[in-house]
Amino acid sequence: MQKLIQIIEDDEDIRDVIEFILQESEYEVNVASNAKEFKINLFNTLPDLIVMDVRLPDGNGLQLCRQLKQSIETRHIPVIIISAHATAEEASKQAFADDFISKPFDLEELIKRIEYHLA
């Protein structure tokens, strides 16, 4: 069975590239451009892993990640924060993220990190 990855990224170009690369790597992918869409997707199906931007038009990815990690229903889901603005320290200390990737990022490195967290 394919692993489901949820992408939350407001930049359409970045979101499309990540979605394409993950589908080529044989993952099932849900995409959301904001926190509201993500919450609707999450209500319908829990993903196996989440890739989340920090700056969203209707919320803060660090706060959203922290909420996920504090919930019994979602704390087990690995979250990879991607950002050009936040730091790895902020992602781990403030949001309890499982991993952090700085933008711009290497797509192969993203795939390697996803594979690591899904292993």
Side-chain angles (χ1 to χ4, degrees):
M1 185 173 194
Q2 285 183 319
K3 297 285 186 175
L4 175 62
I5 299 176
Q6 173 70 57
I7 302 166
I8 307 104
E9 169 61 64
D10 63 325
D11 184 303
E12 184 177 1
D13 293 333
I14 294 172
R15 188 175 62 244
D16 289 348
V17 168
I18 295 172
E19 179 181 19
F20 176 78
I21 292 298
L22 292 176
Q23 287 173 338
E24 287 294 305
S25 298
E26 300 186 2
Y27 291 107
E28 185 179 345
V29 180
N30 277 346
V31 296
S33 61
N34 57 52
K36 183 179 178 181
E37 279 182 62
F38 164 67
K39 289 175 183 177
I40 291 168
N41 288 347
L42 189 65
F43 180 76
N44 293 323
T45 307
L46 285 180
D48 296 294
L49 183 137
I50 299 168
V51 177
M52 181 184 311
D53 188 16
V54 170
R55 289 192 175 178
L56 300 170
D58 62 346
N60 179 304
L62 294 176
Q63 291 173 349
L64 191 55
C65 180
R66 186 180 186 101
Q67 291 169 0
L68 292 169
K69 291 302 185 177
Q70 291 177 332
S71 168
I72 291 173
E73 293 84 20
T74 56
R75 71 173 56 158
H76 68 281
I77 302 170
V79 178
I80 300 174
I81 297 284
I82 55 173
S83 178
H85 307 286
T87 65
E89 184 177 349
E90 288 174 310
S92 66
K93 286 186 177 179
Q94 291 180 21
F96 310 122
D98 297 279
D99 209 339
F100 174 84
I101 299 176
S102 181
K103 289 181 183 176
F105 54 86
D106 180 77
L107 291 171
E108 289 182 23
E109 181 64 24
L110 176 63
I111 294 295
K112 285 180 187 175
R113 301 239 193 137
I114 288 170
E115 289 171 351
Y116 171 79
H117 289 289
L118 290 176

